């Protein structure tokens, strides 16, 4: 028996009466069975957001066909709308430097079926994790970078993104600042993770700096990459309380776990098309 194809419709538009009626009416016309639906009305911006997951009896229907059929409605409502087949996994490139905890966590979650992604490539400016990549049978690209070679290195990265048909780039503790041009090229499809002390404790060894200041709360932030360094729309955050008895090493260990968890959730929600950008914020239907 052939399983019914499933899709996600993610949309946003100026708020007005009748949007849900129009969307549900369209889906009824397509013979859709709605499996999950969520909506949010941002009264501050007067913008409406919605995510609908549904199945169709017509196994030949494609996301492109649904988009074409819905185009007139979307245009009338000034709507940004996208259909995604749930059977198509998000092709994800992971970038890493010398801290491998987030990379290792993502690879394990992917291998164990917890993340609906494919990982066609791992890119690093160091060679530390080429053996880890090989153990998962994932191509590893060593792209060292200096101020002089950065344009060429980013050009090669863009080639890999194109050749591997990458949908999402994850900066899993990749300790290089992307150029504004590359940030714009990857807009909406690049996620970064970092500790949540920013703008405090910048630079190296932030948890040691936090320990010196006696912080009582530490955290991690996963966000979309923009040209504003570490200030893109936040997807997920995680926090933990700490106390005076903990060493800087203990804070670092707790922080690493928080970074792994926050990043994994952000990647999962993005891959399931649960995240919609709302200006400098996000709407997350998790």
């Amino acid at each position: 028996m052939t399983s019914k194809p499933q899709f996600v419709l993610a949309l946003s538009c100026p708020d007005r009466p009748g949007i849900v009626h129009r969307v549900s009416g369209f889906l009824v016309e397509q013979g859709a069975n709605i499996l999950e639906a969520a909506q949010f009305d941002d009264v501050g911006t007067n913008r409406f957001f919605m995510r609908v997951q549904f199945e169709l009896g017509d196994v030949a229907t494609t996301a492109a066909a649904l988009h074409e059929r819905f185009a007139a409605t979307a245009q009338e409502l000034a709507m940004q709308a996208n259909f995604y087949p749930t059977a198509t996994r998000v092709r994800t490139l992971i970038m890493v430097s010398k801290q491998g905890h987030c990379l290792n966590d993502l690879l394990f979650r992917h291998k164990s079926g917890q993340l609906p992604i494919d990982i066609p490539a791992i890119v690093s400016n160091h060679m530390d994790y080429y053996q880890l990549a090989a153990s998962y049978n994932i191509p590893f690209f060593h792209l060292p970078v200096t101020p002089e070679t950065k344009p060429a290195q980013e050009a090669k990265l863009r080639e890999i993104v194109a050749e591997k048909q990458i949908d999402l780039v994850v900066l899993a503790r990749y300790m290089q600042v992307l150029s504004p041009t590359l940030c714009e090229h990857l807009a909406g499809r690049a996620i970064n993770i970092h500790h949540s002390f920013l703008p405090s404790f910048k630079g190296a060894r932030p948890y040691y700096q936090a320990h010196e200041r006696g912080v009582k709360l530490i955290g991690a932030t996963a966000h979309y990459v923009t040209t504003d360094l570490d200030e893109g729309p936040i997807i997920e955050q995680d926090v933990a309380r700490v106390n005076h008895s903990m060493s800087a090493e203990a804070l670092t260990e707790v922080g690493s776990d928080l970074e792994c968890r926050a990043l994994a959730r952000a990647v999962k929600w993005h891959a399931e098309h649960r995240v919609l950008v709302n200006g400098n914020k996000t709407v997350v239907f998790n």
Side-chain angles (χ1 to χ4, degrees):
M1 181 178 177
T2 303
S3 59
K4 296 179 180 179
Q6 293 188 18
F7 299 87
V8 168
L9 167 59
L11 62 88
S12 66
C13 63
D15 191 29
R16 57 178 283 182
I19 298 173
V20 174
H21 176 73
R22 296 289 296 275
V23 172
S24 59
F26 169 80
L27 294 177
V28 168
E29 292 173 358
Q30 309 307 309
N33 177 33
I34 295 176
L35 305 174
E36 182 181 335
Q39 65 190 65
F40 172 69
D41 178 15
D42 187 341
V43 296
T45 61
N46 193 42
R47 195 155 185 87
F48 179 83
F49 299 83
M50 189 174 189
R51 178 188 183 274
V52 185
Q53 185 166 336
F54 59 94
E55 65 180 7
L56 292 176
D58 183 1
V59 297
T61 302
T62 64
L66 290 169
H67 181 80
E68 184 177 350
R69 297 170 196 168
F70 192 64
T73 299
Q75 183 176 8
E76 179 185 344
L77 300 178
M79 181 183 291
Q80 297 176 351
N82 291 289
F83 291 87
Y84 305 97
T86 61
T88 301
R89 293 159 66 91
V90 171
R91 295 176 62 81
T92 304
L93 182 149
I94 302 177
M95 301 187 69
V96 66
S97 290
K98 283 184 168 290
Q99 300 177 47
H101 53 284
C102 287
L103 169 66
N104 190 56
D105 182 76
L106 290 173
L107 292 176
F108 174 79
R109 291 175 189 268
H110 166 253
K111 183 71 172 182
S112 58
Q114 299 178 41
L115 292 176
I117 62 175
D118 289 331
I119 306 176
I122 295 170
V123 169
S124 180
N125 54 325
H126 299 282
M127 287 294 292
D128 297 54
Y129 297 108
Y130 78 95
Q131 289 181 321
L132 178 62
S135 71
Y136 283 91
N137 197 31
I138 297 174
F140 181 91
F141 295 87
H142 179 218
L143 301 182
V145 57
T146 66
E148 294 74 26
T149 64
K150 186 171 183 175
Q153 188 255 16
E154 290 195 345
K156 178 60 179 177
L157 175 62
R158 291 181 64 162
E159 289 179 10
I160 295 171
V161 168
E163 291 171 1
K164 298 292 185 179
Q165 298 179 304
I166 298 301
D167 303 306
L168 175 66
V169 173
V170 176
L171 308 184
R173 300 299 287 160
Y174 179 68
M175 306 306 291
Q176 293 289 325
V177 177
L178 304 185
S179 69
T181 300
L182 184 57
C183 289
E184 292 171 0
H185 178 69
L186 297 175
R189 55 190 184 122
I191 296 174
N192 186 35
I193 184 71
H194 57 70
H195 61 81
S196 288
F197 300 131
L198 296 174
S200 300
F201 311 141
K202 291 182 179 180
R205 296 160 65 90
Y207 293 105
Y208 285 77
Q209 297 178 54
H211 181 263
E212 289 295 319
R213 289 290 302 276
V215 302
K216 306 304 181 190
L217 192 69
I218 63 175
T221 295
H223 64 89
Y224 284 118
V225 174
T226 66
T227 54
D228 294 322
L229 182 62
D230 293 329
E231 295 184 13
I234 294 171
I235 305 170
E236 173 64 338
Q237 293 180 296
D238 204 348
V239 296
R241 295 201 65 84
V242 296
N243 60 53
H244 65 276
S245 69
M246 300 176 69
S247 66
E249 291 78 10
L251 262 63
T252 301
E253 183 177 343
V254 173
S256 296
D257 287 341
L258 294 174
E259 291 170 9
C260 289
R261 296 205 302 261
L263 181 59
R265 288 196 289 264
V267 170
K268 184 175 189 293
W269 295 337
H270 176 94
E272 293 176 345
H273 313 292
R274 297 183 180 276
V275 186
L276 286 79
V277 175
N278 180 19
N280 62 354
K281 303 184 292 184
T282 61
V283 174
V284 183
F285 293 121
N286 55 9

